Structures are given as C-alpha cells and as structure tokens.
Amino acid sequence: MSLQEEVLPFPTAGGARTHVAGQTQDLHRNLTWKDAFWVTSGVPAGVLFTIGGVSATIGQPAWIIWILAILVGFAQCFTYAEISGLYPHKSGGASVYGALGWVRYSKFVAPVSVWCNWIAWSPMLALGTSLAAGYMLSNLFPADAAINTWQVTLLDLGFISKDLTLRINSTFVLAVIFLLITFKLQHSGASAAARTQRILGIASLTPLVVIALVPLFTGDMPSTNFLPLLPLMHDATGASVMGSWNSAGISTAMGAMFLACWSTFGFETAVCYTREFKNPQQDTFKAIVSSGLLCLFMFIAVPIAFQGELGLSGMLAPAIVDGSGVGAAMARFVGGGVVVFNAIVVMLVLSILLIVMTSMMGSSRTLYQASVDGWLPKYLSHVNEHGAPTRAMWTDLVFNLFLLLMSNYMAVLSISNVCYMIFVFLNLQSGWIHRLDRADWPRPYKCANWLLALGVLCGYLDLVFVGAGANFQGENTLRNGLIATFLIVPVFIYRHYWQDKGQFPASMRKDMELPHARAGVLPYLALLLAVAVIWISAKLTVIG
C-alpha cells in the first residue's frame, strides 16, 4: 500500500495527523507529564541488567561508578529538554530533535542519530524478557532440571563474538510469551498503555525502593564492602586481585562507566511522547526532569544497597554477574519465608516487564517519526485507530525475536551501547547547533549556558567511555558497534534516493528551513574531534 504523509507543522489539540490512503490517523494528544513519568518508571530496573557486570569490571569502586554515571546522565537531560521543546509536533524522542540540528550539515549524520537511538533501545525488549524468563525458570525449577538445560543450537556466530550462537531453549520460549503480552498491552495506544504502566510502576518500584532502604535502616553495610577504592585486576592465573590507579586501572574504570551509562542514561525516553502530550510546551520538561530525579535516587541507592549487602565476593558471583541470580539475591535481602521470597521475585519480573514496555513505546515511536521525517522506509509511518504505531511495533517485535535466539545477551547489550553513546554525543552537540541556527525560535525551556556547555563536555566524555571501555565487554565490541552504527546508511539511501527521489517530505522541509545556518564549519570540526577522541581513547586503553 502506498503511503502519502502530511504532518501538520503545528498541530491542534487533536493531535498530529498522518494521512494514509485517504484516511486521517493520529498520534493522539491525551498524555500528561505524569503519564510519561510512569512510562519511564521502568528505567530504574535497568540496574538489574548491569549491576553485576559493572562490579565484575571495576570491583570495589563500582558504587562510585554508578554515582558518576547517573550524575552525567542527569546533567545531559537539560539539553534534551531544550531541544525537544523546539518541536512540539514531533514524536520519537531526543534523537529526532537532534537529527534536525544535524541535517543541514549532513544528510547522513542525521539518520545515524535516529538509528543509534533505536538500535540501543529496541534490544531492551529481548534483554528484558529473557531476564524475566530467567528469573521465573530459576526460581520455579532446579538448575539441573531438564527445562533449564535443554537447548537446540541453530547457528554459530563466533565470528561476531566469542561463543555466540543462535539457539532455542526454555528461556527463549518464555521470553517470547512475555514479549507478545507486552505487544498486546500496547496495541490500544499510549494512553491505555500508560495506565497499565502506572499499575506496573507502583508494583515494580516497590521492591527496588525496599531493597534500597532496608540496608540503610538496618545498618548492615560494613565499610569493608566499599573500601578500599582500588580497581579490580587479574593476576597471571586469572584470579581477581586489587590493582592500582595506573593506566590499566583507569582503563578499567572507563569500561565500567561504559556499562553503567547504558542503564543510567535511559530516562531520556521521557521526551519520546512530546507529540502525544496535551501540553507539550510544559509537559516535556516536567517529564524528563521528574524521571531524572527518580533515576538519580534509584541508581545511587540500589547499587549501594547491593554492594553493602553482598560485598565484592558476592557481587562477583556468576549468577549476579550474568543477572540470573539478581532477583533471588534481592528477595533474600528482606528476609521472610517462601511467600515473601516469591512475592519479591514476582514484583521483580513485573519491573522487568515495565522496562520492556517503556522500550517498546519509545523505540516504536522513534521508528514511526523517522519514517515520517524521511529517514526510514515509508511503511513505518502507519498508526492504528488507537494512535499506536503498529507497523513500527511489529518491526520491533520481529527484530527482537531474532535477538532472543542469541546465546550471549551481554554481547548484544554492549554492541547496542556503542550505538547509544554515539547517539548521546550527536544529540548533546545538536543543543548548541540549534542554539546557533535557531536562536530566535521560541523555547518553552531554555537551559543555562553553562548547562549547555556541560552537555557538550559530557558528550565527548561519553566517547572516551566508548573508545576506552567498549572492548572490556568483549573483544571487538567497539568494531562491531561501529559497524552496527552505519547499517543505517543503505537503509537511508533506499528511502531518500529511491522512494523519495532525493527530496525530504514536505513537513520535514518546513522543519529544516533556516534563513541562515550560523553554525558554519563548527559541526564538522566537532565530528573530527569526536573521531579523534574515540581513536586516541582506544589506543591508550590497557586491558589487563
């Protein structure tokens, strides 16, 4: 079916319109910032994915790494809040608004921003449902039970990452069921999904808050679990030992920051719903800052509670490092019998499903808006009668069914995080590009100049984490992530030069119009510096 899109540049309260085959379909304007807050309340559950991995990378200073990572993420959110207010008629989140800053300087850099955001968020569906499935299977059946051990290997992918295969097992089957349930819950649009998210949010945040607060009240956190602040190293036999802050120690900290940032930066998804807010000029800022404050507390308190309770040896246990034993460990923190234990595990499964819903809502809207704007194929521009971008949701679903077949989810996470950090860099730089090129545009929120400059600095710091830290999560992670970053190029060429004959959609051209492109050569210099930062960081890193 041929799609003809026309998006009103400044929509009425009824919503932004997409005309498909003579019918008007809307992304409905029926959300408030409180709805977006509950939608993004699943983000703190991201700590469950990487809390063991960060400790396994850096050791005792892990709690400091989490504090630094969320502070960097919170500093960046003010730039996102400003640029999202420039486009109240667009959905899809910060990457869409950032791409509009870059598009006047390069047709190819702009879609990289949108693509990298999606390729980072979408795998959360597979990662989350597989972790939830692992929690259920490990707590319902013994580790050596047939349901936990059977596996059918389909394909060896060792050329991408060591020991990576495509396989089918019980985790895959149960995760697919969770994924289909999540899809069904979102089919009725963002407003209905937000109501579900509110219920899940309260249920899922409860165990995280309890786990964060119980050790503080009991005082059962010996200082030896936090000190000395020396990085983890390995001796000639591979045993873990305390290192020092030499080049290898600093490199290790970069690897830990690379992993922690994947979890802590996620609340930027709050601005994905600008086009569906009743009052986008006010709701966008309130949504991202309130989500940021929630994450600021959770990403500091939960890792401190975990490390204080388990100590370094406990944090390095295989079940904590791979995430499968995190739920059981949290349940043991609060004590109680079998009923309490199972209740905590159930709530943790709900918290994982909450972040899966957050990811599907955000990533599908990124695909939708990228299609409307002319970056991705036209078929993704469709929304159903409830205002849900169903074709984008189906694309997410199929992509993640493939990811669920993979045997090493940490490899998927690490590769997607290379893309994510590149998106973050491009969007933070778009803040000053927009400020120069669109100085006279109305801004419901305008961050202070020093916050904008801090965002620019954070963007380059994020690239240091990529260059120096990516390969701590597996050999060739940086290479594979950069390859994944540029997979968008042939897709964009197909859409822009084949489907659109080298012209952007009319609505997109209105957003691109500028009397003067005042940034001049500065965006190109920023890109050259970015390449240099990644290259130098990768060259200087020491993986011991």
Side-chain angles (χ1 to χ4, degrees), residues 378-412:
K378 289 185 177 182
Y379 84 94
L380 294 166
S381 301
H382 174 81
V383 295
N384 68 4
E385 67 275 13
H386 302 294
T390 45
R391 291 182 185 172
M393 290 165 59
W394 275 109
T395 301
D396 261 340
L397 182 68
V398 172
F399 177 61
N400 279 274
L401 288 176
F402 171 74
L403 294 183
L404 278 172
L405 292 170
M406 292 190 175
S407 60
N408 186 348
Y409 297 126
M410 187 57 70
V412 174

PDB file of all heavy atoms in Angstrom, residues 378-412:
ATOM      1  N   LYS A 378       8.858   3.964   4.212  1.00  0.00           N
ATOM      2  CA  LYS A 378       7.551   4.584   4.417  1.00  0.00           C
ATOM      3  C   LYS A 378       6.564   3.724   5.194  1.00  0.00           C
ATOM      4  O   LYS A 378       5.670   4.257   5.867  1.00  0.00           O
ATOM      5  CB  LYS A 378       6.937   4.944   3.060  1.00  0.00           C
ATOM      6  CG  LYS A 378       7.622   6.098   2.344  1.00  0.00           C
ATOM      7  CD  LYS A 378       6.871   6.462   1.073  1.00  0.00           C
ATOM      8  CE  LYS A 378       7.504   7.672   0.396  1.00  0.00           C
ATOM      9  NZ  LYS A 378       6.756   8.064  -0.828  1.00  0.00           N
ATOM     10  N   TYR A 379       6.692   2.415   5.095  1.00  0.00           N
ATOM     11  CA  TYR A 379       5.678   1.564   5.724  1.00  0.00           C
ATOM     12  C   TYR A 379       5.599   1.769   7.240  1.00  0.00           C
ATOM     13  O   TYR A 379       4.565   1.483   7.865  1.00  0.00           O
ATOM     14  CB  TYR A 379       5.948   0.094   5.404  1.00  0.00           C
ATOM     15  CG  TYR A 379       6.960  -0.598   6.303  1.00  0.00           C
ATOM     16  CD1 TYR A 379       6.539  -1.309   7.429  1.00  0.00           C
ATOM     17  CD2 TYR A 379       8.323  -0.533   6.045  1.00  0.00           C
ATOM     18  CE1 TYR A 379       7.450  -1.933   8.258  1.00  0.00           C
ATOM     19  CE2 TYR A 379       9.243  -1.158   6.863  1.00  0.00           C
ATOM     20  CZ  TYR A 379       8.806  -1.863   7.968  1.00  0.00           C
ATOM     21  OH  TYR A 379       9.710  -2.470   8.789  1.00  0.00           O
ATOM     22  N   LEU A 380       6.661   2.317   7.853  1.00  0.00           N
ATOM     23  CA  LEU A 380       6.684   2.521   9.302  1.00  0.00           C
ATOM     24  C   LEU A 380       5.850   3.718   9.745  1.00  0.00           C
ATOM     25  O   LEU A 380       5.681   3.950  10.943  1.00  0.00           O
ATOM     26  CB  LEU A 380       8.130   2.701   9.777  1.00  0.00           C
ATOM     27  CG  LEU A 380       9.039   1.480   9.632  1.00  0.00           C
ATOM     28  CD1 LEU A 380      10.503   1.874   9.806  1.00  0.00           C
ATOM     29  CD2 LEU A 380       8.653   0.413  10.643  1.00  0.00           C
ATOM     30  N   SER A 381       5.315   4.505   8.804  1.00  0.00           N
ATOM     31  CA  SER A 381       4.558   5.718   9.145  1.00  0.00           C
ATOM     32  C   SER A 381       3.134   5.431   9.612  1.00  0.00           C
ATOM     33  O   SER A 381       2.415   6.348   9.998  1.00  0.00           O
ATOM     34  CB  SER A 381       4.495   6.662   7.930  1.00  0.00           C
ATOM     35  OG  SER A 381       5.779   7.031   7.500  1.00  0.00           O
ATOM     36  N   HIS A 382       2.718   4.204   9.585  1.00  0.00           N
ATOM     37  CA  HIS A 382       1.330   3.851   9.877  1.00  0.00           C
ATOM     38  C   HIS A 382       1.036   3.850  11.379  1.00  0.00           C
ATOM     39  O   HIS A 382       1.855   3.412  12.182  1.00  0.00           O
ATOM     40  CB  HIS A 382       1.044   2.455   9.320  1.00  0.00           C
ATOM     41  CG  HIS A 382      -0.305   1.919   9.671  1.00  0.00           C
ATOM     42  ND1 HIS A 382      -1.441   2.282   8.989  1.00  0.00           N
ATOM     43  CD2 HIS A 382      -0.701   1.051  10.647  1.00  0.00           C
ATOM     44  CE1 HIS A 382      -2.481   1.652   9.517  1.00  0.00           C
ATOM     45  NE2 HIS A 382      -2.057   0.903  10.522  1.00  0.00           N
ATOM     46  N   VAL A 383      -0.151   4.356  11.748  1.00  0.00           N
ATOM     47  CA  VAL A 383      -0.675   4.187  13.111  1.00  0.00           C
ATOM     48  C   VAL A 383      -2.084   3.617  13.013  1.00  0.00           C
ATOM     49  O   VAL A 383      -2.793   3.826  12.026  1.00  0.00           O
ATOM     50  CB  VAL A 383      -0.702   5.511  13.908  1.00  0.00           C
ATOM     51  CG1 VAL A 383       0.696   6.027  14.150  1.00  0.00           C
ATOM     52  CG2 VAL A 383      -1.537   6.571  13.190  1.00  0.00           C
ATOM     53  N   ASN A 384      -2.510   2.886  14.050  1.00  0.00           N
ATOM     54  CA  ASN A 384      -3.853   2.306  14.016  1.00  0.00           C
ATOM     55  C   ASN A 384      -4.886   3.284  14.575  1.00  0.00           C
ATOM     56  O   ASN A 384      -4.574   4.439  14.890  1.00  0.00           O
ATOM     57  CB  ASN A 384      -3.881   0.960  14.756  1.00  0.00           C
ATOM     58  CG  ASN A 384      -3.685   1.113  16.262  1.00  0.00           C
ATOM     59  OD1 ASN A 384      -3.603   2.218  16.806  1.00  0.00           O
ATOM     60  ND2 ASN A 384      -3.615  -0.021  16.958  1.00  0.00           N
ATOM     61  N   GLU A 385      -6.124   2.798  14.749  1.00  0.00           N
ATOM     62  CA  GLU A 385      -7.206   3.679  15.186  1.00  0.00           C
ATOM     63  C   GLU A 385      -7.025   4.177  16.603  1.00  0.00           C
ATOM     64  O   GLU A 385      -7.656   5.160  17.012  1.00  0.00           O
ATOM     65  CB  GLU A 385      -8.555   2.953  15.054  1.00  0.00           C
ATOM     66  CG  GLU A 385      -8.750   1.779  15.999  1.00  0.00           C
ATOM     67  CD  GLU A 385      -8.166   0.470  15.462  1.00  0.00           C
ATOM     68  OE1 GLU A 385      -7.398   0.523  14.469  1.00  0.00           O
ATOM     69  OE2 GLU A 385      -8.473  -0.593  16.028  1.00  0.00           O
ATOM     70  N   HIS A 386      -6.160   3.524  17.392  1.00  0.00           N
ATOM     71  CA  HIS A 386      -5.892   3.950  18.766  1.00  0.00           C
ATOM     72  C   HIS A 386      -4.698   4.892  18.854  1.00  0.00           C
ATOM     73  O   HIS A 386      -4.323   5.313  19.951  1.00  0.00           O
ATOM     74  CB  HIS A 386      -5.622   2.733  19.656  1.00  0.00           C
ATOM     75  CG  HIS A 386      -6.743   1.740  19.674  1.00  0.00           C
ATOM     76  ND1 HIS A 386      -7.978   2.017  20.208  1.00  0.00           N
ATOM     77  CD2 HIS A 386      -6.807   0.461  19.192  1.00  0.00           C
ATOM     78  CE1 HIS A 386      -8.764   0.956  20.079  1.00  0.00           C
ATOM     79  NE2 HIS A 386      -8.078   0.009  19.470  1.00  0.00           N
ATOM     80  N   GLY A 387      -4.086   5.208  17.721  1.00  0.00           N
ATOM     81  CA  GLY A 387      -2.904   6.064  17.733  1.00  0.00           C
ATOM     82  C   GLY A 387      -1.624   5.321  18.054  1.00  0.00           C
ATOM     83  O   GLY A 387      -0.625   5.942  18.412  1.00  0.00           O
ATOM     84  N   ALA A 388      -1.620   4.004  17.912  1.00  0.00           N
ATOM     85  CA  ALA A 388      -0.415   3.208  18.173  1.00  0.00           C
ATOM     86  C   ALA A 388       0.319   2.953  16.854  1.00  0.00           C
ATOM     87  O   ALA A 388      -0.310   2.536  15.875  1.00  0.00           O
ATOM     88  CB  ALA A 388      -0.780   1.883  18.831  1.00  0.00           C
ATOM     89  N   PRO A 389       1.622   3.170  16.804  1.00  0.00           N
ATOM     90  CA  PRO A 389       2.397   2.927  15.568  1.00  0.00           C
ATOM     91  C   PRO A 389       2.655   1.439  15.388  1.00  0.00           C
ATOM     92  O   PRO A 389       3.742   0.929  15.636  1.00  0.00           O
ATOM     93  CB  PRO A 389       3.687   3.713  15.820  1.00  0.00           C
ATOM     94  CG  PRO A 389       3.862   3.702  17.303  1.00  0.00           C
ATOM     95  CD  PRO A 389       2.468   3.728  17.881  1.00  0.00           C
ATOM     96  N   THR A 390       1.638   0.717  14.927  1.00  0.00           N
ATOM     97  CA  THR A 390       1.656  -0.744  14.968  1.00  0.00           C
ATOM     98  C   THR A 390       2.715  -1.363  14.050  1.00  0.00           C
ATOM     99  O   THR A 390       3.304  -2.395  14.385  1.00  0.00           O
ATOM    100  CB  THR A 390       0.281  -1.309  14.619  1.00  0.00           C
ATOM    101  OG1 THR A 390      -0.234  -0.628  13.468  1.00  0.00           O
ATOM    102  CG2 THR A 390      -0.684  -1.098  15.778  1.00  0.00           C
ATOM    103  N   ARG A 391       2.944  -0.770  12.885  1.00  0.00           N
ATOM    104  CA  ARG A 391       3.948  -1.361  11.999  1.00  0.00           C
ATOM    105  C   ARG A 391       5.351  -1.219  12.594  1.00  0.00           C
ATOM    106  O   ARG A 391       6.180  -2.118  12.456  1.00  0.00           O
ATOM    107  CB  ARG A 391       3.881  -0.724  10.623  1.00  0.00           C
ATOM    108  CG  ARG A 391       2.608  -1.085   9.858  1.00  0.00           C
ATOM    109  CD  ARG A 391       2.569  -0.479   8.481  1.00  0.00           C
ATOM    110  NE  ARG A 391       1.292  -0.759   7.827  1.00  0.00           N
ATOM    111  CZ  ARG A 391       0.911  -0.238   6.679  1.00  0.00           C
ATOM    112  NH1 ARG A 391       1.728   0.599   6.032  1.00  0.00           N
ATOM    113  NH2 ARG A 391      -0.257  -0.542   6.154  1.00  0.00           N
ATOM    114  N   ALA A 392       5.596  -0.108  13.249  1.00  0.00           N
ATOM    115  CA  ALA A 392       6.873   0.050  13.952  1.00  0.00           C
ATOM    116  C   ALA A 392       6.976  -0.946  15.100  1.00  0.00           C
ATOM    117  O   ALA A 392       8.042  -1.518  15.352  1.00  0.00           O
ATOM    118  CB  ALA A 392       7.014   1.479  14.477  1.00  0.00           C
ATOM    119  N   MET A 393       5.850  -1.198  15.780  1.00  0.00           N
ATOM    120  CA  MET A 393       5.839  -2.155  16.872  1.00  0.00           C
ATOM    121  C   MET A 393       6.107  -3.570  16.358  1.00  0.00           C
ATOM    122  O   MET A 393       6.845  -4.346  16.981  1.00  0.00           O
ATOM    123  CB  MET A 393       4.510  -2.087  17.625  1.00  0.00           C
ATOM    124  CG  MET A 393       4.327  -0.797  18.430  1.00  0.00           C
ATOM    125  SD  MET A 393       2.614  -0.539  18.958  1.00  0.00           S
ATOM    126  CE  MET A 393       2.321  -2.013  19.926  1.00  0.00           C
ATOM    127  N   TRP A 394       5.511  -3.912  15.214  1.00  0.00           N
ATOM    128  CA  TRP A 394       5.758  -5.228  14.623  1.00  0.00           C
ATOM    129  C   TRP A 394       7.231  -5.372  14.219  1.00  0.00           C
ATOM    130  O   TRP A 394       7.822  -6.454  14.372  1.00  0.00           O
ATOM    131  CB  TRP A 394       4.858  -5.447  13.409  1.00  0.00           C
ATOM    132  CG  TRP A 394       3.495  -5.964  13.752  1.00  0.00           C
ATOM    133  CD1 TRP A 394       2.311  -5.294  13.681  1.00  0.00           C
ATOM    134  CD2 TRP A 394       3.175  -7.277  14.231  1.00  0.00           C
ATOM    135  NE1 TRP A 394       1.270  -6.084  14.092  1.00  0.00           N
ATOM    136  CE2 TRP A 394       1.771  -7.315  14.438  1.00  0.00           C
ATOM    137  CE3 TRP A 394       3.928  -8.413  14.526  1.00  0.00           C
ATOM    138  CZ2 TRP A 394       1.116  -8.450  14.904  1.00  0.00           C
ATOM    139  CZ3 TRP A 394       3.281  -9.557  14.990  1.00  0.00           C
ATOM    140  CH2 TRP A 394       1.894  -9.564  15.173  1.00  0.00           C
ATOM    141  N   THR A 395       7.808  -4.304  13.715  1.00  0.00           N
ATOM    142  CA  THR A 395       9.226  -4.340  13.347  1.00  0.00           C
ATOM    143  C   THR A 395      10.089  -4.587  14.573  1.00  0.00           C
ATOM    144  O   THR A 395      11.027  -5.397  14.549  1.00  0.00           O
ATOM    145  CB  THR A 395       9.632  -3.019  12.666  1.00  0.00           C
ATOM    146  OG1 THR A 395       8.823  -2.819  11.492  1.00  0.00           O
ATOM    147  CG2 THR A 395      11.097  -3.026  12.264  1.00  0.00           C
ATOM    148  N   ASP A 396       9.787  -3.893  15.656  1.00  0.00           N
ATOM    149  CA  ASP A 396      10.473  -4.129  16.928  1.00  0.00           C
ATOM    150  C   ASP A 396      10.337  -5.588  17.356  1.00  0.00           C
ATOM    151  O   ASP A 396      11.303  -6.220  17.802  1.00  0.00           O
ATOM    152  CB  ASP A 396       9.877  -3.235  18.025  1.00  0.00           C
ATOM    153  CG  ASP A 396      10.715  -1.990  18.263  1.00  0.00           C
ATOM    154  OD1 ASP A 396      11.891  -1.982  17.904  1.00  0.00           O
ATOM    155  OD2 ASP A 396      10.173  -1.022  18.832  1.00  0.00           O
ATOM    156  N   LEU A 397       9.133  -6.106  17.238  1.00  0.00           N
ATOM    157  CA  LEU A 397       8.854  -7.461  17.692  1.00  0.00           C
ATOM    158  C   LEU A 397       9.678  -8.486  16.918  1.00  0.00           C
ATOM    159  O   LEU A 397      10.343  -9.358  17.498  1.00  0.00           O
ATOM    160  CB  LEU A 397       7.362  -7.758  17.543  1.00  0.00           C
ATOM    161  CG  LEU A 397       6.884  -9.126  18.018  1.00  0.00           C
ATOM    162  CD1 LEU A 397       6.996  -9.238  19.530  1.00  0.00           C
ATOM    163  CD2 LEU A 397       5.441  -9.386  17.584  1.00  0.00           C
ATOM    164  N   VAL A 398       9.655  -8.388  15.589  1.00  0.00           N
ATOM    165  CA  VAL A 398      10.376  -9.352  14.751  1.00  0.00           C
ATOM    166  C   VAL A 398      11.879  -9.267  14.999  1.00  0.00           C
ATOM    167  O   VAL A 398      12.570 -10.291  15.113  1.00  0.00           O
ATOM    168  CB  VAL A 398      10.046  -9.112  13.268  1.00  0.00           C
ATOM    169  CG1 VAL A 398      10.934  -9.974  12.373  1.00  0.00           C
ATOM    170  CG2 VAL A 398       8.577  -9.412  12.993  1.00  0.00           C
ATOM    171  N   PHE A 399      12.403  -8.040  15.096  1.00  0.00           N
ATOM    172  CA  PHE A 399      13.833  -7.846  15.357  1.00  0.00           C
ATOM    173  C   PHE A 399      14.236  -8.507  16.670  1.00  0.00           C
ATOM    174  O   PHE A 399      15.279  -9.177  16.765  1.00  0.00           O
ATOM    175  CB  PHE A 399      14.130  -6.346  15.380  1.00  0.00           C
ATOM    176  CG  PHE A 399      15.555  -5.996  15.721  1.00  0.00           C
ATOM    177  CD1 PHE A 399      16.611  -6.422  14.935  1.00  0.00           C
ATOM    178  CD2 PHE A 399      15.849  -5.229  16.841  1.00  0.00           C
ATOM    179  CE1 PHE A 399      17.927  -6.096  15.252  1.00  0.00           C
ATOM    180  CE2 PHE A 399      17.151  -4.901  17.170  1.00  0.00           C
ATOM    181  CZ  PHE A 399      18.191  -5.335  16.369  1.00  0.00           C
ATOM    182  N   ASN A 400      13.412  -8.365  17.683  1.00  0.00           N
ATOM    183  CA  ASN A 400      13.759  -8.909  18.994  1.00  0.00           C
ATOM    184  C   ASN A 400      13.529 -10.409  19.098  1.00  0.00           C
ATOM    185  O   ASN A 400      14.173 -11.073  19.917  1.00  0.00           O
ATOM    186  CB  ASN A 400      13.000  -8.164  20.091  1.00  0.00           C
ATOM    187  CG  ASN A 400      13.667  -6.855  20.445  1.00  0.00           C
ATOM    188  OD1 ASN A 400      14.567  -6.814  21.262  1.00  0.00           O
ATOM    189  ND2 ASN A 400      13.234  -5.784  19.797  1.00  0.00           N
ATOM    190  N   LEU A 401      12.663 -10.963  18.278  1.00  0.00           N
ATOM    191  CA  LEU A 401      12.558 -12.419  18.213  1.00  0.00           C
ATOM    192  C   LEU A 401      13.877 -13.012  17.732  1.00  0.00           C
ATOM    193  O   LEU A 401      14.315 -14.067  18.213  1.00  0.00           O
ATOM    194  CB  LEU A 401      11.416 -12.829  17.281  1.00  0.00           C
ATOM    195  CG  LEU A 401       9.999 -12.592  17.798  1.00  0.00           C
ATOM    196  CD1 LEU A 401       8.977 -12.946  16.729  1.00  0.00           C
ATOM    197  CD2 LEU A 401       9.743 -13.393  19.067  1.00  0.00           C
ATOM    198  N   PHE A 402      14.518 -12.328  16.797  1.00  0.00           N
ATOM    199  CA  PHE A 402      15.842 -12.766  16.331  1.00  0.00           C
ATOM    200  C   PHE A 402      16.877 -12.628  17.448  1.00  0.00           C
ATOM    201  O   PHE A 402      17.675 -13.544  17.695  1.00  0.00           O
ATOM    202  CB  PHE A 402      16.254 -11.953  15.111  1.00  0.00           C
ATOM    203  CG  PHE A 402      17.683 -12.181  14.685  1.00  0.00           C
ATOM    204  CD1 PHE A 402      18.054 -13.352  14.043  1.00  0.00           C
ATOM    205  CD2 PHE A 402      18.655 -11.230  14.943  1.00  0.00           C
ATOM    206  CE1 PHE A 402      19.372 -13.576  13.657  1.00  0.00           C
ATOM    207  CE2 PHE A 402      19.976 -11.437  14.564  1.00  0.00           C
ATOM    208  CZ  PHE A 402      20.332 -12.617  13.915  1.00  0.00           C
ATOM    209  N   LEU A 403      16.852 -11.483  18.160  1.00  0.00           N
ATOM    210  CA  LEU A 403      17.820 -11.275  19.234  1.00  0.00           C
ATOM    211  C   LEU A 403      17.653 -12.296  20.357  1.00  0.00           C
ATOM    212  O   LEU A 403      18.631 -12.708  20.983  1.00  0.00           O
ATOM    213  CB  LEU A 403      17.689  -9.856  19.806  1.00  0.00           C
ATOM    214  CG  LEU A 403      18.052  -8.699  18.879  1.00  0.00           C
ATOM    215  CD1 LEU A 403      17.926  -7.377  19.623  1.00  0.00           C
ATOM    216  CD2 LEU A 403      19.457  -8.851  18.307  1.00  0.00           C
ATOM    217  N   LEU A 404      16.421 -12.720  20.603  1.00  0.00           N
ATOM    218  CA  LEU A 404      16.174 -13.696  21.667  1.00  0.00           C
ATOM    219  C   LEU A 404      16.815 -15.044  21.370  1.00  0.00           C
ATOM    220  O   LEU A 404      17.051 -15.849  22.279  1.00  0.00           O
ATOM    221  CB  LEU A 404      14.671 -13.878  21.882  1.00  0.00           C
ATOM    222  CG  LEU A 404      13.984 -12.828  22.747  1.00  0.00           C
ATOM    223  CD1 LEU A 404      12.473 -13.009  22.709  1.00  0.00           C
ATOM    224  CD2 LEU A 404      14.489 -12.893  24.179  1.00  0.00           C
ATOM    225  N   LEU A 405      17.102 -15.314  20.115  1.00  0.00           N
ATOM    226  CA  LEU A 405      17.759 -16.562  19.751  1.00  0.00           C
ATOM    227  C   LEU A 405      19.240 -16.561  20.122  1.00  0.00           C
ATOM    228  O   LEU A 405      19.876 -17.618  20.170  1.00  0.00           O
ATOM    229  CB  LEU A 405      17.629 -16.811  18.239  1.00  0.00           C
ATOM    230  CG  LEU A 405      16.219 -17.113  17.705  1.00  0.00           C
ATOM    231  CD1 LEU A 405      16.234 -17.094  16.180  1.00  0.00           C
ATOM    232  CD2 LEU A 405      15.732 -18.462  18.219  1.00  0.00           C
ATOM    233  N   MET A 406      19.800 -15.370  20.403  1.00  0.00           N
ATOM    234  CA  MET A 406      21.236 -15.279  20.672  1.00  0.00           C
ATOM    235  C   MET A 406      21.567 -15.778  22.072  1.00  0.00           C
ATOM    236  O   MET A 406      20.833 -15.532  23.030  1.00  0.00           O
ATOM    237  CB  MET A 406      21.716 -13.836  20.483  1.00  0.00           C
ATOM    238  CG  MET A 406      21.666 -13.371  19.050  1.00  0.00           C
ATOM    239  SD  MET A 406      22.510 -11.789  18.802  1.00  0.00           S
ATOM    240  CE  MET A 406      22.399 -11.640  17.011  1.00  0.00           C
ATOM    241  N   SER A 407      22.709 -16.437  22.169  1.00  0.00           N
ATOM    242  CA  SER A 407      23.097 -17.070  23.431  1.00  0.00           C
ATOM    243  C   SER A 407      23.781 -16.112  24.402  1.00  0.00           C
ATOM    244  O   SER A 407      23.836 -16.377  25.598  1.00  0.00           O
ATOM    245  CB  SER A 407      24.050 -18.239  23.143  1.00  0.00           C
ATOM    246  OG  SER A 407      25.229 -17.784  22.477  1.00  0.00           O
ATOM    247  N   ASN A 408      24.307 -14.988  23.896  1.00  0.00           N
ATOM    248  CA  ASN A 408      25.059 -14.063  24.756  1.00  0.00           C
ATOM    249  C   ASN A 408      24.408 -12.695  24.710  1.00  0.00           C
ATOM    250  O   ASN A 408      24.666 -11.890  23.815  1.00  0.00           O
ATOM    251  CB  ASN A 408      26.516 -13.978  24.288  1.00  0.00           C
ATOM    252  CG  ASN A 408      27.385 -13.143  25.224  1.00  0.00           C
ATOM    253  OD1 ASN A 408      26.882 -12.444  26.102  1.00  0.00           O
ATOM    254  ND2 ASN A 408      28.686 -13.221  25.048  1.00  0.00           N
ATOM    255  N   TYR A 409      23.528 -12.434  25.672  1.00  0.00           N
ATOM    256  CA  TYR A 409      22.810 -11.165  25.672  1.00  0.00           C
ATOM    257  C   TYR A 409      23.727  -9.994  26.035  1.00  0.00           C
ATOM    258  O   TYR A 409      23.474  -8.857  25.641  1.00  0.00           O
ATOM    259  CB  TYR A 409      21.627 -11.231  26.639  1.00  0.00           C
ATOM    260  CG  TYR A 409      20.601 -12.253  26.247  1.00  0.00           C
ATOM    261  CD1 TYR A 409      20.191 -13.239  27.148  1.00  0.00           C
ATOM    262  CD2 TYR A 409      20.038 -12.259  24.977  1.00  0.00           C
ATOM    263  CE1 TYR A 409      19.246 -14.197  26.792  1.00  0.00           C
ATOM    264  CE2 TYR A 409      19.095 -13.207  24.607  1.00  0.00           C
ATOM    265  CZ  TYR A 409      18.707 -14.179  25.520  1.00  0.00           C
ATOM    266  OH  TYR A 409      17.784 -15.123  25.160  1.00  0.00           O
ATOM    267  N   MET A 410      24.800 -10.252  26.793  1.00  0.00           N
ATOM    268  CA  MET A 410      25.727  -9.171  27.132  1.00  0.00           C
ATOM    269  C   MET A 410      26.428  -8.641  25.895  1.00  0.00           C
ATOM    270  O   MET A 410      26.718  -7.449  25.794  1.00  0.00           O
ATOM    271  CB  MET A 410      26.751  -9.657  28.161  1.00  0.00           C
ATOM    272  CG  MET A 410      27.660  -8.559  28.702  1.00  0.00           C
ATOM    273  SD  MET A 410      26.759  -7.172  29.466  1.00  0.00           S
ATOM    274  CE  MET A 410      26.137  -7.977  30.943  1.00  0.00           C
ATOM    275  N   ALA A 411      26.692  -9.512  24.912  1.00  0.00           N
ATOM    276  CA  ALA A 411      27.289  -9.062  23.658  1.00  0.00           C
ATOM    277  C   ALA A 411      26.325  -8.132  22.925  1.00  0.00           C
ATOM    278  O   ALA A 411      26.738  -7.102  22.366  1.00  0.00           O
ATOM    279  CB  ALA A 411      27.644 -10.261  22.777  1.00  0.00           C
ATOM    280  N   VAL A 412      25.033  -8.480  22.934  1.00  0.00           N
ATOM    281  CA  VAL A 412      24.017  -7.625  22.305  1.00  0.00           C
ATOM    282  C   VAL A 412      23.972  -6.270  22.998  1.00  0.00           C
ATOM    283  O   VAL A 412      23.959  -5.212  22.354  1.00  0.00           O
ATOM    284  CB  VAL A 412      22.635  -8.308  22.357  1.00  0.00           C
ATOM    285  CG1 VAL A 412      21.550  -7.367  21.839  1.00  0.00           C
ATOM    286  CG2 VAL A 412      22.655  -9.603  21.559  1.00  0.00           C
TER     287      VAL A 412
END
